[in-house]
Amino acid sequence: MTSQDNYFTPKMQRNTLLFIFFPVILIFLPISVLAQKPPSSKASASRFTISGYVDDAESGEKLIGAHIYETGSLKGTTTNIYGFYSLTLPASDSIEIACSYIGYQPIKKSIQLQSNQHINISLNSAIVLEEVEITGTRIEEQSQMSVIEVPISQIKSMPAFLGEVDVLKSLQMLPGVQSGGEGTSGLYVRGGGTDQNLILLDGAPVYNASHLFGFFSVFNADAIKNIQFTKGGFPARYGGRLSSVIEINVKDGNMKKFKAEGSVGIIAARLTVEGPIKKEKTSFIISGRRTYIDILARPFILALTEGEGYGGYYFYDLNAKVNHIFSDRDRLYLSFYTGDDRFYLRASNNYTAKDGTKYKSNNIFRLGWGNITSSLRWNHIINKKLFSNTTLTYSRFKFYTTIKFENIEQSSSSDKVEESFTLKYFSGIRDWTAKVDFDYFPNPDHYIKFGMSNILHKFNTGAVQFQLNTTGASSLDTTLGSKAVVANELSMYFEDDIRFSKRLKANLGLHTSGFLVNDEFYYSIQPRISSRYYLTDNWALKSSFATMTQYIHLLTNTNIGLPTDLWVPATDIVKPQHSQQVALGAARTITLHEKKYELSIEGYYKRMQNIIEYIGGANYLDVNADWQTKVEAGKGWSYGAELFLQKKTGKTTGWFGYTLSWTNRQFETINSGKKYPYKYDRRHDVAIVFTYKVDKYTEFSANWIYGTGNAITLPIARYGSIYGFYWPMSFYGIEYYGDKNSFRMRAYHRLDIGVNFHKKKKRGERTWTIGVYNLYNRKNPYFLYFGKDSKGDPVLKQVSLFPILPSFSYSLKF
Amino acid sequence: MKNKIHHIAKQLFPSISFIPFFLFLFACEMVVEIDMPQYDSQLVVNSFFHSNNQFEVHISNSLGILDTGTFDNIENATIEILENGQVISVLRHIRNGNYRSLRRVYASAGLTYSLRVEASGYESVSAFDAIPVAIPIISATLKDSVYVGELDGTYAETTIKFNDPASVNNFYVIEIYQWSSRNGNWYSIFLSSIDPSVANDQVSSRILFSDVIFDGKIYDLKVYFSNYILTQNPMLFVRLNSISEAYYNYNKSFKLHQQNMGNPFAEPVQVYTNIENGLGIFAGYSYDEVLVR
């Protein structure tokens, strides 16, 4: 018996106590801060607070991460994700406040600071062609490291695969991030798996962010305001995943006037409409996208099948958001997203026999998956220094398949006989989340964030339903498979971004969480620290340490992200995943010919425990079997160095990224217990992203990426099995693989280009976009297999997916 | 209809992973050069040996994956069987790479045997494995026409009762044989099971399982076969094989290997081998059998 068992027995009592104990702690902390009086006492009388929102002057969109500072002392703060800031400064008859944000013209304002003031700031966007370098907070100023913000305008001007702008694919070009196979939008961050990324859409988790087996991501760039990508040095407010956090914020909707934009491309069309419902008070945005190949192809398929069958595939996304300003202190946002992929196939047949009996059959096949997320957020300014946000979210991912056979037999001599058989398979996950977050700005040297959240997960790990109905016979309706599992995940955090001196700044925090599933309770205390230290006026040394815990796993036994992959909870057998990551780096802003470039260099070491793999190719689709007995927990390591040089504004924008990394895995029974390279272990990874605005009508862009080939397992020999005693040996032959992932595919590289031609029309602006994917037609490997050449000799063959692919789209904005 | 349901359920879902193939509209194929490591052909040993029987071993060779030849039966090997480090038999070549021990040399349950194989042009190989003691069948009962919801149909059901020893990992194979008076021979019947301990481990007509979920208990395991067989009124006997862990691992991995082979999106599965410096299997088993009809 362990010492822990001595303290807490019986087990259930311990778990219940812990679960009650947690919220009590969580509630105490905010209360202790809220109880602080506003700065009206004598001691604080000589300091006053300026607070308010920063927004875009034209649309009223709140700006995230705008820098507000006092020009004399340079003490300042940044706006939070709702555009709110609070800055407490000594009283003065005249101080100058400046506000800057990337891509916007900075403004300065002189004020008399003799009382607390609420000042909302509106910024005008900059004219990029003038090559005025306008930036927000400098990279070296931030205490946090391993965070990258990619302006959405940059993403939209990058060359896009088949003309579809893809947010996640643009993130794949950042250092430390690897893509999976050709064309897919999966993210493998610093050696982690695709399940280890927390993707938040307006605060709601998205569990499957891909369409068409990963070839496109679910995020419609027209609706997105801001993306923040964190791959290490996680602040305490983040939790629940090991490898990255991708925060995607949808536009709030124009508060001042109606705007619309739409486009038609090779595979999809999209439309976005936004505007005020009540000027300066309530606004909305609605944005949709749908592919239409199925609609165009349907008449041809019907003609070919003489009307007896049709089928197709499409996906769609719909984002909608409404927000309302009740007062300077209260604001409400309601955000909704739904998106689905659907395959469908229907074939019918009519036949009349010689005796006059009519036969009719219908065969229907449907396959689909999709997400729904919705979030309700309430911003409340409790006092000038304390901002709160309360969020309720719902998120659902569902995968389903339906196969239906219907047969009808009608003869003149007997009654009609109908027989139908339906088979349905479904799996998925649902989350209900309630959370409250506080931002506290006591003075310019501290920026405190704290909060708590509770997530109720419901896992459906796969079930099959059979239905059989026959005229005159008993019907059958049976459902097989695992029952839904409900789990509760509770977390709290506290972090303080502290400026110790002009040189030293640190973000110290603690994230704690608990997970209750069936009779099992897990908890985790995760310290987080990141810091920056100015070595010189320009060079900042940065370091971070973060531990992370993930209570959910993704079961997958394929090398591509399929919607059939199952989300499952940690259980008493399969423990939660943990990671520890340490990083050290340097950052500076380089000025070269009056142009500014952000440079960061980072080295990291990450280790992971309790990551899972299927044991020896086990199959998750056997609904009779318990998935827990089919997986094995193991360890993973990743370490490497990353270089990132980015130019965010001006005529020329883009970045250069390089990653040198090693990633390994080790499981007790896989590869005879020996350590082996992870499939996406990529020694060298290079990305160059370049956009050049030739003039106000023309914009040219290009991407070039290079990556070491994926690690794969190939057979090195073959031999006869014991079942081949009596031949045929070929049928019972065995392939012998040698060490796991000991071979490498050929290196992956590709150049894409695109040109945007803008033109002002009477009403708005039209843009023609022409792009070429894989310009020099590189045959990149998708998979390898042993086949035969023309002489019948065995050879290794490579299948490549996408050759050179041109694309175009037409868009209109008014 | 029941067969249709099962056929679809089993076939449909794995096939989903092949759906991206429709994207190969754009795909192209090319032969690529890859540095294959130098592979020296190895001896392949295949032998399941059981108590109260002579040792039988098949010896062949392995080939490099790009080798165009066929497997050779090795007919000039020297094969020794050892018990407690002492050679108890040198096997004789019978035909086509099959070797057999002398009639007076029998394997015994509960003992560990080693194997040494030498053949000109190959590295010598060795292996060892034990024959588990046979677990007796307490009873085996037969029922006609039992409806099995999970298999959505009516089957002949056989319940095999046995006492699993505690604190030892035990592995089993169940087989049922029917007598064919026409051919004058016993034939193995194709079996199914929904028992959780069996899960997905079934190989060919037999049921392979371990005692993970019933260690140390008296257990009733149900297996099903076609009712049609009973209409022929044949003699039937049940065999409960107590197999070694190596036997179990080989069969289990073999099935998964066959399942994933050729699917570029699935992780390949290495077939278990216990042959030192070589490939294949040398595994022991014993059995108990009872007549059920």
Side-chain angles (χ1 to χ4, degrees):
Chain A
M1 183 178 279
T2 64
S3 57
Q4 202 175 34
D5 289 329
N6 286 326
Y7 284 116
F8 304 105
T9 52
K11 187 176 166 186
M12 189 57 197
Q13 188 185 355
R14 178 197 69 176
N15 294 344
T16 310
L17 280 172
L18 280 169
F19 209 69
I20 294 167
F21 183 59
F22 248 153
V24 173
I25 302 173
L26 303 185
I27 290 161
F28 259 114
L29 195 60
I31 287 175
S32 64
V33 178
L34 287 170
Q36 288 193 13
K37 289 181 181 174
S40 57
S41 64
K42 280 185 184 174
S44 60
S46 57
R47 298 172 74 84
F48 294 102
T49 302
I50 312 159
S51 63
Y53 289 94
V54 178
D55 65 17
D56 177 301
E58 199 187 342
S59 66
E61 282 285 341
K62 296 291 180 262
L63 300 179
I64 301 167
H67 190 204
I68 302 103
Y69 58 99
E70 199 259 310
T71 54
S73 65
L74 294 178
K75 287 195 169 181
T77 188
T78 53
T79 54
N80 65 13
I81 66 164
Y82 304 98
F84 177 79
Y85 75 95
S86 172
L87 184 60
T88 300
L89 295 167
S92 171
D93 287 340
S94 176
I95 59 164
E96 189 180 52
I97 299 295
C99 179
S100 64
Y101 186 67
I102 188 162
Y104 284 78
Q105 294 171 11
I107 61 165
K108 289 179 181 174
K109 210 175 227 181
S110 290
I111 56 166
Q112 196 179 23
L113 192 61
Q114 296 297 348
S115 62
N116 292 330
Q117 295 190 37
H118 186 90
I119 301 174
N120 291 335
I121 301 167
S122 294
L123 298 181
N124 288 301
S125 57
I127 302 161
V128 289
L129 290 173
E130 289 176 355
E131 194 67 56
V132 177
E133 294 298 336
I134 302 142
T135 58
T137 312
R138 292 187 305 160
I139 187 173
E140 59 268 31
E141 170 64 22
Q142 299 158 11
S143 57
Q144 220 185 315
M145 64 188 300
S146 312
V147 181
I148 300 174
E149 275 187 48
V150 183
I152 198 75
S153 57
Q154 172 86 61
I155 291 172
K156 289 178 83 168
S157 63
M158 285 162 67
F161 174 62
L162 295 177
E164 285 303 299
V165 175
D166 195 312
V167 170
L168 295 187
K169 278 189 188 152
S170 62
L171 297 183
Q172 288 174 346
M173 295 189 191
L174 299 174
V177 186
Q178 268 92 55
S179 60
E182 167 79 294
T184 60
S185 56
L187 300 177
Y188 298 85
V189 183
R190 289 186 170 174
T194 50
D195 60 318
Q196 295 174 355
N197 306 312
L198 177 62
I199 302 176
L200 295 171
L201 183 66
D202 271 351
V206 177
Y207 280 97
N208 186 314
S210 64
H211 286 303
L212 194 60
F213 305 103
F215 288 95
F216 302 98
S217 74
V218 300
F219 305 109
N220 180 352
D222 288 348
I224 294 170
K225 173 161 74 174
N226 166 277
I227 299 165
Q228 191 179 62
F229 175 67
T230 308
K231 59 187 173 180
F234 300 96
R237 58 186 176 274
Y238 294 135
R241 301 291 189 281
L242 298 194
S243 290
S244 81
V245 179
I246 300 154
E247 260 194 299
I248 298 172
N249 290 293
V250 174
K251 287 177 187 170
D252 298 330
N254 198 310
M255 277 284 181
K256 299 183 178 177
K257 54 185 175 184
F258 282 94
K259 290 265 185 185
E261 63 180 302
S263 70
V264 180
I266 290 179
I267 62 160
R270 62 173 67 80
L271 179 67
T272 302
V273 181
E274 58 179 318
I277 296 171
K278 189 177 179 188
K279 256 191 178 177
E280 310 284 357
K281 280 282 181 193
T282 311
S283 69
F284 78 97
I285 181 167
I286 184 158
S287 182
R289 168 174 70 158
R290 190 195 190 279
T291 59
Y292 46 68
I293 290 170
D294 61 314
I295 297 169
L296 299 178
R298 183 179 286 197
F300 300 102
I301 296 171
L302 284 170
L304 284 170
T305 60
E306 295 174 344
E308 290 193 338
Y310 61 89
Y313 163 80
Y314 68 92
F315 68 76
Y316 73 90
D317 295 304
L318 181 71
N319 293 83
K321 191 170 179 179
V322 183
N323 78 98
H324 178 69
I325 301 170
F326 289 94
S327 67
D328 271 345
R329 293 170 72 103
D330 293 285
R331 185 166 178 162
L332 203 65
Y333 302 83
L334 179 62
S335 179
F336 174 78
Y337 164 77
T338 181
D340 271 322
D341 284 65
R342 289 181 187 173
F343 281 96
Y344 58 95
L345 197 64
R346 187 184 183 113
S348 54
N349 191 23
N350 293 299
Y351 169 72
T352 306
K354 282 180 183 172
D355 63 359
T357 306
K358 290 180 180 172
Y359 297 91
K360 186 180 179 185
S361 70
N362 282 316
N363 297 329
I364 298 163
F365 171 66
R366 289 193 203 104
L367 172 74
W369 65 95
N371 298 283
I372 290 178
T373 70
S374 54
S375 61
L376 179 67
R377 298 192 284 184
W378 169 43
N379 290 175
H380 177 62
I381 299 171
I382 296 167
N383 61 45
K384 297 283 178 190
K385 295 181 176 181
L386 187 62
F387 176 93
S388 76
N389 176 62
T390 307
T391 308
L392 299 173
T393 73
Y394 169 72
S395 178
R396 185 222 70 186
F397 170 70
K398 184 173 80 171
F399 169 78
Y400 64 91
T401 307
T402 303
I403 298 170
K404 190 171 182 180
F405 301 105
E406 287 176 327
N407 292 306
I408 302 167
E409 185 183 327
Q410 173 80 73
S411 68
S412 52
S413 56
S414 59
D415 292 337
K416 186 160 79 172
V417 178
E418 291 185 44
E419 182 187 60
S420 77
F421 162 67
T422 308
L423 182 148
K424 292 178 182 173
Y425 173 86
F426 38 91
S427 64
I429 181 170
R430 285 167 199 264
D431 276 7
W432 291 266
T433 305
K435 63 178 174 180
V436 59
D437 302 285
F438 297 91
D439 286 14
Y440 182 56
F441 309 81
N443 59 56
D445 294 333
H446 291 270
Y447 183 174
I448 295 168
K449 290 175 185 241
F450 59 92
M452 61 181 289
S453 79
N454 190 72
I455 308 169
L456 187 71
H457 300 282
K458 189 174 180 185
F459 301 86
N460 179 350
T461 55
V464 179
Q465 184 182 12
F466 305 99
Q467 290 172 319
L468 177 65
N469 292 296
T470 307
T471 306
S474 58
S475 60
L476 169 76
D477 190 342
T478 309
T479 301
L480 307 175
S482 311
K483 283 182 183 169
V485 178
V486 175
N488 204 50
E489 185 174 345
L490 190 62
S491 66
M492 70 161 286
Y493 68 89
F494 181 91
E495 65 174 75
D496 190 1
D497 204 47
I498 310 169
R499 192 167 119 144
F500 289 101
S501 68
K502 198 180 168 189
R503 287 188 182 279
L504 181 63
K505 196 175 176 187
N507 188 304
L508 307 175
L510 190 71
H511 183 100
T512 63
S513 58
F515 189 75
L516 185 66
V517 57
N518 298 329
D519 189 21
E520 200 64 35
F521 181 73
Y522 291 105
Y523 61 94
S524 161
I525 296 170
Q526 303 156 43
R528 313 279 175 82
I529 179 167
S530 58
S531 67
R532 73 106 169 94
Y533 181 78
Y534 274 120
L535 293 170
T536 67
D537 285 350
N538 293 320
W539 275 106
L541 183 69
K542 295 195 175 191
S543 63
S544 68
F545 172 76
T547 59
M548 304 291 277
T549 296
Q550 179 170 334
Y551 297 103
I552 59 175
H553 298 273
L554 184 69
L555 295 181
T556 175
N557 66 348
T558 59
N559 296 329
I560 46 175
L562 286 179
T564 48
D565 296 347
L566 290 176
W567 286 99
V568 292
T571 65
D572 54 336
I573 298 169
V574 182
K575 310 289 183 199
Q577 307 179 55
H578 300 286
S579 75
Q580 303 80 39
Q581 187 181 164
V582 62
L584 186 67
R588 72 165 292 178
T589 302
I590 300 167
T591 306
L592 210 63
H593 302 298
E594 297 182 343
K595 297 179 178 73
K596 284 187 175 146
Y597 301 84
E598 289 183 353
L599 174 69
S600 71
I601 304 160
E602 291 187 13
Y604 72 92
Y605 180 84
K606 179 162 110 179
R607 58 182 194 188
M608 297 167 278
Q609 300 88 34
N610 295 336
I611 49 180
I612 61 167
E613 282 278 349
Y614 270 110
I615 301 167
N619 192 339
Y620 56 92
L621 290 160
D622 182 354
V623 292
N624 289 326
D626 184 354
W627 64 268
Q628 298 175 87
T629 61
K630 293 175 174 293
V631 297
E632 182 178 342
K635 295 183 278 189
W637 299 264
S638 185
Y639 50 93
E642 296 162 3
L643 171 74
F644 190 52
L645 181 70
Q646 187 179 23
K647 187 169 184 293
K648 288 180 173 173
T649 59
K651 287 177 80 169
T652 307
T653 55
W655 67 79
F656 169 80
Y658 170 70
T659 309
L660 171 71
S661 66
W662 287 263
T663 302
N664 294 305
R665 295 281 192 267
Q666 189 172 28
F667 294 84
E668 200 178 320
T669 68
I670 299 172
N671 199 39
S672 310
K674 291 182 287 184
K675 196 191 279 187
Y676 63 88
Y678 185 45
K679 184 174 178 58
Y680 302 108
D681 169 43
R682 199 162 291 176
R683 196 71 64 249
H684 305 283
D685 194 88
V686 181
I688 300 170
V689 174
F690 167 82
T691 302
Y692 179 66
K693 292 180 195 301
V694 182
D695 53 38
K696 61 182 178 180
Y697 304 111
T698 315
E699 195 175 42
F700 172 78
S701 60
N703 301 333
W704 184 74
I705 56 170
Y706 171 91
T708 305
N710 287 344
I712 51 164
T713 307
L714 288 175
I716 58 172
R718 58 196 170 90
Y719 64 99
S721 76
I722 199 162
Y723 301 105
F725 263 69
Y726 307 104
W727 314 113
M729 187 68 94
S730 56
F731 181 73
Y732 289 113
I734 293 172
E735 289 183 341
Y736 175 64
Y737 296 104
D739 284 344
K740 188 175 170 72
N741 290 347
S742 56
F743 288 90
R744 291 278 170 175
M745 288 182 170
R746 292 204 310 161
Y748 184 100
H749 54 89
R750 196 187 79 226
L751 174 67
D752 309 328
I753 59 164
V755 190
N756 292 326
F757 298 103
H758 306 282
K759 190 174 182 182
K760 291 274 182 202
K761 305 289 270 186
K762 267 186 184 176
R763 289 184 179 182
E765 182 184 282
R766 71 103 176 104
T767 303
W768 274 105
T769 301
I770 298 167
V772 182
Y773 180 87
N774 195 7
L775 182 70
Y776 54 82
N777 198 24
R778 162 77 175 175
K779 290 182 174 67
N780 284 307
Y782 190 54
F783 63 80
L784 304 180
Y785 72 99
F786 283 99
K788 298 260 167 84
D789 64 9
S790 54
K791 294 175 198 160
D793 292 335
V795 286
L796 184 63
K797 291 188 172 181
Q798 170 191 291
V799 173
S800 303
L801 209 50
F802 299 123
I804 180 170
L805 287 175
S807 66
F808 63 88
S809 66
Y810 176 84
S811 48
L812 199 59
K813 195 192 281 187
F814 52 89
Chain B
M1 183 58 84
K2 71 196 171 203
N3 291 333
K4 192 191 259 181
I5 292 172
H6 276 279
H7 179 72
I8 292 165
K10 295 278 180 195
Q11 300 301 319
L12 170 71
F13 300 118
S15 70
I16 288 169
S17 65
F18 284 95
I19 286 174
F21 275 112
F22 86 98
L23 286 162
F24 297 159
L25 221 64
F26 302 115
C28 69
E29 199 177 76
M30 63 184 282
V31 173
V32 289
E33 294 291 324
I34 197 158
D35 289 331
M36 295 301 289
Q38 168 72 30
Y39 180 76
D40 296 325
S41 180
Q42 292 172 284
L43 287 176
V44 177
V45 177
N46 278 310
S47 174
F48 287 154
F49 55 98
H50 65 90
S51 53
N52 306 320
N53 205 38
Q54 292 162 273
F55 288 92
E56 288 191 14
V57 176
H58 181 263
I59 306 292
S60 57
N61 67 344
S62 63
L63 296 171
I65 196 71
L66 295 176
D67 201 321
T68 52
T70 53
F71 305 125
D72 290 329
N73 294 320
I74 308 293
E75 300 182 345
N76 60 350
T78 305
I79 304 173
E80 294 174 334
I81 300 290
L82 297 87
E83 185 185 316
N84 295 326
Q86 300 295 313
V87 177
I88 57 166
S89 180
V90 177
L91 273 53
R92 287 179 303 138
H93 182 249
I94 309 298
R95 64 177 179 278
N96 297 335
N98 285 301
Y99 295 77
R100 192 179 293 155
S101 61
L102 297 173
R103 285 192 180 184
R104 58 188 163 76
V105 180
Y106 290 99
S108 300
L111 294 179
T112 298
Y113 294 94
S114 302
L115 169 92
R116 277 203 305 242
V117 183
E118 288 178 8
S120 168
Y122 297 93
E123 195 176 350
S124 300
V125 303
S126 60
F128 67 91
D129 199 32
I131 301 181
V133 175
I135 304 300
I137 297 169
I138 298 170
S139 66
T141 52
L142 183 66
K143 273 189 196 169
D144 193 1
S145 302
V146 174
Y147 178 75
V148 187
E150 287 84 347
L151 300 176
D152 190 41
T154 305
Y155 294 88
E157 176 192 275
T158 306
T159 305
I160 300 108
K161 186 191 281 280
F162 58 95
N163 190 355
D164 180 73
S167 306
V168 187
N169 292 332
N170 292 92
F171 304 91
Y172 303 94
V173 163
I174 285 180
E175 296 168 286
I176 299 182
Y177 288 87
Q178 75 170 109
W179 175 253
S180 168
S181 50
R182 197 190 325 170
N183 301 325
N185 213 342
W186 291 96
Y187 288 94
S188 178
I189 297 173
F190 186 89
L191 303 177
S192 299
S193 178
I194 55 166
D195 192 281
S197 64
V198 172
N200 215 17
D201 302 344
Q202 185 181 309
V203 173
S204 68
S205 59
R206 306 165 308 160
I207 300 291
L208 181 78
F209 60 104
S210 73
D211 67 349
V212 172
I213 63 165
F214 57 82
D215 183 40
K217 294 180 180 153
I218 293 177
Y219 199 68
D220 289 312
L221 194 122
K222 290 182 168 56
V223 296
Y224 304 95
F225 57 92
S226 169
N227 257 328
Y228 174 75
I229 289 168
L230 297 185
T231 62
Q232 299 170 325
N233 205 23
M235 285 208 301
L236 295 172
F237 77 83
V238 173
R239 179 180 285 176
L240 178 65
N241 297 284
S242 297
I243 60 173
S244 70
E245 188 168 358
Y247 189 115
Y248 179 83
N249 288 337
Y250 180 85
N251 278 282
K252 184 169 175 166
S253 58
F254 178 74
K255 177 171 182 180
L256 292 167
H257 173 84
Q258 297 295 106
Q259 207 169 294
N260 284 8
M261 201 161 64
N263 180 353
F265 303 115
E267 282 297 321
V269 178
Q270 187 81 281
V271 174
Y272 174 85
T273 179
N274 64 348
I275 310 297
E276 189 78 27
N277 299 326
L279 295 166
I281 185 70
F282 177 69
Y285 68 101
S286 57
Y287 56 81
D288 184 35
E289 52 194 23
V290 295
L291 206 61
V292 286
R293 183 180 168 122

